[in-house]
mmCIF file of all heavy atoms in Angstrom:
data_model
loop_
_atom_site.group_PDB
_atom_site.id
_atom_site.type_symbol
_atom_site.label_atom_id
_atom_site.label_comp_id
_atom_site.label_asym_id
_atom_site.label_seq_id
_atom_site.Cartn_x
_atom_site.Cartn_y
_atom_site.Cartn_z
ATOM 1 N N ASN A 29 3.405 13.618 -2.897
ATOM 2 C CA ASN A 29 3.264 14.956 -3.466
ATOM 3 C C ASN A 29 2.982 14.889 -4.966
ATOM 4 O O ASN A 29 3.257 13.879 -5.616
ATOM 5 C CB ASN A 29 4.541 15.764 -3.216
ATOM 6 C CG ASN A 29 4.787 16.002 -1.745
ATOM 7 O OD1 ASN A 29 3.859 16.280 -0.981
ATOM 8 N ND2 ASN A 29 6.031 15.871 -1.317
ATOM 9 N N LYS A 30 2.464 15.958 -5.494
ATOM 10 C CA LYS A 30 2.174 16.022 -6.926
ATOM 11 C C LYS A 30 3.463 15.908 -7.725
ATOM 12 O O LYS A 30 4.448 16.581 -7.438
ATOM 13 C CB LYS A 30 1.455 17.331 -7.260
ATOM 14 C CG LYS A 30 1.005 17.422 -8.718
ATOM 15 C CD LYS A 30 0.132 18.645 -8.945
ATOM 16 C CE LYS A 30 -0.254 18.779 -10.413
ATOM 17 N NZ LYS A 30 -0.949 17.582 -10.940
ATOM 18 N N GLY A 31 3.473 15.024 -8.724
ATOM 19 C CA GLY A 31 4.631 14.840 -9.582
ATOM 20 C C GLY A 31 5.746 13.995 -9.001
ATOM 21 O O GLY A 31 6.780 13.788 -9.639
ATOM 22 N N GLU A 32 5.552 13.472 -7.794
ATOM 23 C CA GLU A 32 6.592 12.693 -7.120
ATOM 24 C C GLU A 32 6.537 11.219 -7.524
ATOM 25 O O GLU A 32 5.476 10.680 -7.816
ATOM 26 C CB GLU A 32 6.411 12.805 -5.599
ATOM 27 C CG GLU A 32 7.464 12.055 -4.797
ATOM 28 C CD GLU A 32 7.226 12.110 -3.297
ATOM 29 O OE1 GLU A 32 6.077 12.372 -2.881
ATOM 30 O OE2 GLU A 32 8.184 11.887 -2.543
ATOM 31 N N THR A 33 7.700 10.567 -7.501
ATOM 32 C CA THR A 33 7.774 9.119 -7.675
ATOM 33 C C THR A 33 8.236 8.506 -6.363
ATOM 34 O O THR A 33 9.376 8.726 -5.934
ATOM 35 C CB THR A 33 8.750 8.724 -8.796
ATOM 36 O OG1 THR A 33 8.372 9.361 -10.004
ATOM 37 C CG2 THR A 33 8.734 7.222 -9.022
ATOM 38 N N LEU A 34 7.354 7.759 -5.734
ATOM 39 C CA LEU A 34 7.623 7.131 -4.439
ATOM 40 C C LEU A 34 7.783 5.629 -4.645
ATOM 41 O O LEU A 34 6.937 4.989 -5.276
ATOM 42 C CB LEU A 34 6.467 7.409 -3.477
ATOM 43 C CG LEU A 34 6.497 6.678 -2.133
ATOM 44 C CD1 LEU A 34 7.652 7.183 -1.276
ATOM 45 C CD2 LEU A 34 5.171 6.864 -1.394
ATOM 46 N N GLY A 35 8.856 5.059 -4.115
ATOM 47 C CA GLY A 35 9.069 3.615 -4.202
ATOM 48 C C GLY A 35 8.679 2.931 -2.905
ATOM 49 O O GLY A 35 8.932 3.450 -1.819
ATOM 50 N N VAL A 36 8.048 1.756 -3.023
ATOM 51 C CA VAL A 36 7.754 0.906 -1.866
ATOM 52 C C VAL A 36 8.408 -0.438 -2.147
ATOM 53 O O VAL A 36 8.067 -1.109 -3.121
ATOM 54 C CB VAL A 36 6.241 0.738 -1.641
ATOM 55 C CG1 VAL A 36 5.982 -0.155 -0.430
ATOM 56 C CG2 VAL A 36 5.555 2.088 -1.453
ATOM 57 N N VAL A 37 9.359 -0.831 -1.304
ATOM 58 C CA VAL A 37 10.169 -2.021 -1.585
ATOM 59 C C VAL A 37 10.125 -2.993 -0.415
ATOM 60 O O VAL A 37 9.987 -2.589 0.742
ATOM 61 C CB VAL A 37 11.630 -1.609 -1.916
ATOM 62 C CG1 VAL A 37 12.321 -1.018 -0.706
ATOM 63 C CG2 VAL A 37 12.427 -2.769 -2.463
ATOM 64 N N GLY A 38 10.235 -4.282 -0.727
ATOM 65 C CA GLY A 38 10.244 -5.323 0.306
ATOM 66 C C GLY A 38 10.113 -6.694 -0.331
ATOM 67 O O GLY A 38 9.822 -6.813 -1.521
ATOM 68 N N GLU A 39 10.321 -7.728 0.481
ATOM 69 C CA GLU A 39 10.205 -9.096 -0.006
ATOM 70 C C GLU A 39 8.764 -9.449 -0.361
ATOM 71 O O GLU A 39 7.822 -8.771 0.053
ATOM 72 C CB GLU A 39 10.665 -10.075 1.084
ATOM 73 C CG GLU A 39 12.124 -10.039 1.426
ATOM 74 C CD GLU A 39 12.404 -10.856 2.672
ATOM 75 O OE1 GLU A 39 12.126 -10.346 3.780
ATOM 76 O OE2 GLU A 39 12.891 -11.979 2.553
ATOM 77 N N SER A 40 8.597 -10.550 -1.087
ATOM 78 C CA SER A 40 7.259 -11.081 -1.326
ATOM 79 C C SER A 40 6.627 -11.445 0.014
ATOM 80 O O SER A 40 7.288 -12.001 0.894
ATOM 81 C CB SER A 40 7.343 -12.342 -2.205
ATOM 82 O OG SER A 40 7.843 -12.026 -3.480
ATOM 83 N N GLY A 41 5.349 -11.103 0.166
ATOM 84 C CA GLY A 41 4.642 -11.414 1.398
ATOM 85 C C GLY A 41 4.711 -10.348 2.456
ATOM 86 O O GLY A 41 4.181 -10.506 3.563
ATOM 87 N N CYS A 42 5.359 -9.196 2.140
ATOM 88 C CA CYS A 42 5.494 -8.154 3.163
ATOM 89 C C CYS A 42 4.287 -7.215 3.211
ATOM 90 O O CYS A 42 4.178 -6.391 4.112
ATOM 91 C CB CYS A 42 6.777 -7.355 2.958
ATOM 92 S SG CYS A 42 6.718 -6.232 1.549
ATOM 93 N N GLY A 43 3.374 -7.315 2.234
ATOM 94 C CA GLY A 43 2.161 -6.492 2.266
ATOM 95 C C GLY A 43 2.118 -5.370 1.247
ATOM 96 O O GLY A 43 1.172 -4.575 1.244
ATOM 97 N N LYS A 44 3.098 -5.308 0.344
ATOM 98 C CA LYS A 44 3.170 -4.197 -0.624
ATOM 99 C C LYS A 44 1.930 -4.152 -1.524
ATOM 100 O O LYS A 44 1.304 -3.105 -1.692
ATOM 101 C CB LYS A 44 4.415 -4.323 -1.512
ATOM 102 C CG LYS A 44 5.725 -4.487 -0.796
ATOM 103 C CD LYS A 44 6.902 -4.496 -1.751
ATOM 104 C CE LYS A 44 6.835 -5.574 -2.818
ATOM 105 N NZ LYS A 44 6.930 -6.939 -2.273
ATOM 106 N N THR A 45 1.602 -5.301 -2.121
ATOM 107 C CA THR A 45 0.466 -5.343 -3.046
ATOM 108 C C THR A 45 -0.838 -5.079 -2.319
ATOM 109 O O THR A 45 -1.723 -4.374 -2.834
ATOM 110 C CB THR A 45 0.418 -6.704 -3.771
ATOM 111 O OG1 THR A 45 1.579 -6.827 -4.599
ATOM 112 C CG2 THR A 45 -0.817 -6.807 -4.654
ATOM 113 N N MET A 46 -0.999 -5.614 -1.107
ATOM 114 C CA MET A 46 -2.226 -5.386 -0.342
ATOM 115 C C MET A 46 -2.388 -3.904 0.004
ATOM 116 O O MET A 46 -3.495 -3.383 0.014
ATOM 117 C CB MET A 46 -2.218 -6.223 0.944
ATOM 118 C CG MET A 46 -2.413 -7.698 0.726
ATOM 119 S SD MET A 46 -3.964 -8.070 -0.153
ATOM 120 C CE MET A 46 -3.336 -8.653 -1.721
ATOM 121 N N MET A 47 -1.261 -3.225 0.256
ATOM 122 C CA MET A 47 -1.335 -1.785 0.505
ATOM 123 C C MET A 47 -1.809 -1.049 -0.742
ATOM 124 O O MET A 47 -2.680 -0.178 -0.677
ATOM 125 C CB MET A 47 0.032 -1.254 0.932
ATOM 126 C CG MET A 47 0.030 0.211 1.307
ATOM 127 S SD MET A 47 1.633 1.006 1.075
ATOM 128 C CE MET A 47 1.760 1.035 -0.707
ATOM 129 N N ALA A 48 -1.247 -1.435 -1.914
ATOM 130 C CA ALA A 48 -1.639 -0.796 -3.173
ATOM 131 C C ALA A 48 -3.119 -1.042 -3.473
ATOM 132 O O ALA A 48 -3.850 -0.118 -3.862
ATOM 133 C CB ALA A 48 -0.773 -1.324 -4.312
ATOM 134 N N LEU A 49 -3.575 -2.270 -3.290
ATOM 135 C CA LEU A 49 -4.987 -2.594 -3.530
ATOM 136 C C LEU A 49 -5.897 -1.875 -2.540
ATOM 137 O O LEU A 49 -7.032 -1.512 -2.876
ATOM 138 C CB LEU A 49 -5.202 -4.109 -3.446
ATOM 139 C CG LEU A 49 -4.557 -4.938 -4.561
ATOM 140 C CD1 LEU A 49 -4.710 -6.433 -4.274
ATOM 141 C CD2 LEU A 49 -5.172 -4.606 -5.922
ATOM 142 N N SER A 50 -5.406 -1.658 -1.327
ATOM 143 C CA SER A 50 -6.191 -0.910 -0.335
ATOM 144 C C SER A 50 -6.400 0.529 -0.780
ATOM 145 O O SER A 50 -7.493 1.092 -0.607
ATOM 146 C CB SER A 50 -5.489 -0.940 1.033
ATOM 147 O OG SER A 50 -5.366 -2.252 1.520
ATOM 148 N N LEU A 51 -5.359 1.150 -1.352
ATOM 149 C CA LEU A 51 -5.483 2.525 -1.836
ATOM 150 C C LEU A 51 -6.556 2.617 -2.928
ATOM 151 O O LEU A 51 -7.267 3.623 -3.035
ATOM 152 C CB LEU A 51 -4.149 3.028 -2.380
ATOM 153 C CG LEU A 51 -2.975 3.102 -1.400
ATOM 154 C CD1 LEU A 51 -1.732 3.634 -2.100
ATOM 155 C CD2 LEU A 51 -3.316 3.977 -0.200
ATOM 156 N N MET A 52 -6.658 1.558 -3.738
ATOM 157 C CA MET A 52 -7.652 1.523 -4.817
ATOM 158 C C MET A 52 -9.010 1.006 -4.340
ATOM 159 O O MET A 52 -9.969 0.972 -5.104
ATOM 160 C CB MET A 52 -7.144 0.616 -5.944
ATOM 161 C CG MET A 52 -5.863 1.076 -6.611
ATOM 162 S SD MET A 52 -6.076 2.573 -7.589
ATOM 163 C CE MET A 52 -7.067 1.957 -8.951
ATOM 164 N N ARG A 53 -9.074 0.570 -3.091
ATOM 165 C CA ARG A 53 -10.258 -0.077 -2.514
ATOM 166 C C ARG A 53 -10.682 -1.284 -3.356
ATOM 167 O O ARG A 53 -11.846 -1.442 -3.723
ATOM 168 C CB ARG A 53 -11.404 0.926 -2.355
ATOM 169 C CG ARG A 53 -11.219 1.816 -1.125
ATOM 170 C CD ARG A 53 -12.380 2.731 -0.871
ATOM 171 N NE ARG A 53 -13.640 2.025 -0.745
ATOM 172 C CZ ARG A 53 -14.830 2.632 -0.588
ATOM 173 N NH1 ARG A 53 -14.887 3.952 -0.532
ATOM 174 N NH2 ARG A 53 -15.935 1.936 -0.498
ATOM 175 N N LEU A 54 -9.705 -2.150 -3.617
ATOM 176 C CA LEU A 54 -9.938 -3.363 -4.391
ATOM 177 C C LEU A 54 -9.664 -4.628 -3.571
ATOM 178 O O LEU A 54 -9.433 -5.691 -4.129
ATOM 179 C CB LEU A 54 -9.053 -3.362 -5.647
ATOM 180 C CG LEU A 54 -9.438 -2.354 -6.737
ATOM 181 C CD1 LEU A 54 -8.411 -2.362 -7.857
ATOM 182 C CD2 LEU A 54 -10.830 -2.651 -7.294
ATOM 183 N N ILE A 55 -9.698 -4.514 -2.254
ATOM 184 C CA ILE A 55 -9.497 -5.673 -1.384
ATOM 185 C C ILE A 55 -10.723 -6.585 -1.476
ATOM 186 O O ILE A 55 -11.858 -6.125 -1.321
ATOM 187 C CB ILE A 55 -9.284 -5.210 0.075
ATOM 188 C CG1 ILE A 55 -7.986 -4.397 0.189
ATOM 189 C CG2 ILE A 55 -9.260 -6.407 1.028
ATOM 190 C CD1 ILE A 55 -6.730 -5.163 -0.096
ATOM 191 N N PRO A 56 -10.533 -7.884 -1.752
ATOM 192 C CA PRO A 56 -11.679 -8.795 -1.828
ATOM 193 C C PRO A 56 -12.346 -8.957 -0.460
ATOM 194 O O PRO A 56 -11.707 -9.338 0.509
ATOM 195 C CB PRO A 56 -11.053 -10.112 -2.304
ATOM 196 C CG PRO A 56 -9.607 -10.021 -1.930
ATOM 197 C CD PRO A 56 -9.248 -8.568 -2.006
ATOM 198 N N ASP A 57 -13.631 -8.642 -0.399
ATOM 199 C CA ASP A 57 -14.372 -8.671 0.867
ATOM 200 C C ASP A 57 -15.618 -9.556 0.720
ATOM 201 O O ASP A 57 -16.542 -9.176 -0.014
ATOM 202 C CB ASP A 57 -14.773 -7.246 1.247
ATOM 203 C CG ASP A 57 -15.511 -7.172 2.590
ATOM 204 O OD1 ASP A 57 -15.609 -8.199 3.274
ATOM 205 O OD2 ASP A 57 -15.984 -6.058 2.929
ATOM 206 N N PRO A 58 -15.704 -10.730 1.418
ATOM 207 C CA PRO A 58 -14.683 -11.329 2.279
ATOM 208 C C PRO A 58 -13.584 -11.988 1.442
ATOM 209 O O PRO A 58 -13.778 -12.138 0.248
ATOM 210 C CB PRO A 58 -15.499 -12.364 3.083
ATOM 211 C CG PRO A 58 -16.612 -12.764 2.144
ATOM 212 C CD PRO A 58 -16.932 -11.534 1.346
ATOM 213 N N PRO A 59 -12.484 -12.388 2.066
ATOM 214 C CA PRO A 59 -12.146 -12.390 3.496
ATOM 215 C C PRO A 59 -11.455 -11.119 3.969
ATOM 216 O O PRO A 59 -11.240 -10.933 5.153
ATOM 217 C CB PRO A 59 -11.200 -13.589 3.613
ATOM 218 C CG PRO A 59 -10.447 -13.581 2.324
ATOM 219 C CD PRO A 59 -11.438 -13.109 1.276
#
């Protein structure tokens, strides 16, 4: 929502950064 602060938490390797990069469409293609 507008003005909201949402946390995404988990261990290293759980996919957090890949999810963030996906939102920005910055996934290296390939692979």
Side-chain angles (χ1 to χ4, degrees):
N29 296 319
K30 185 172 177 57
E32 181 183 21
T33 304
L34 172 68
V36 180
V37 67
E39 293 170 282
S40 296
C42 73
K44 307 184 302 294
T45 295
M46 288 303 111
M47 184 206 70
L49 292 174
S50 298
L51 298 181
M52 298 291 290
R53 281 185 56 184
L54 289 175
I55 295 295
D57 182 6

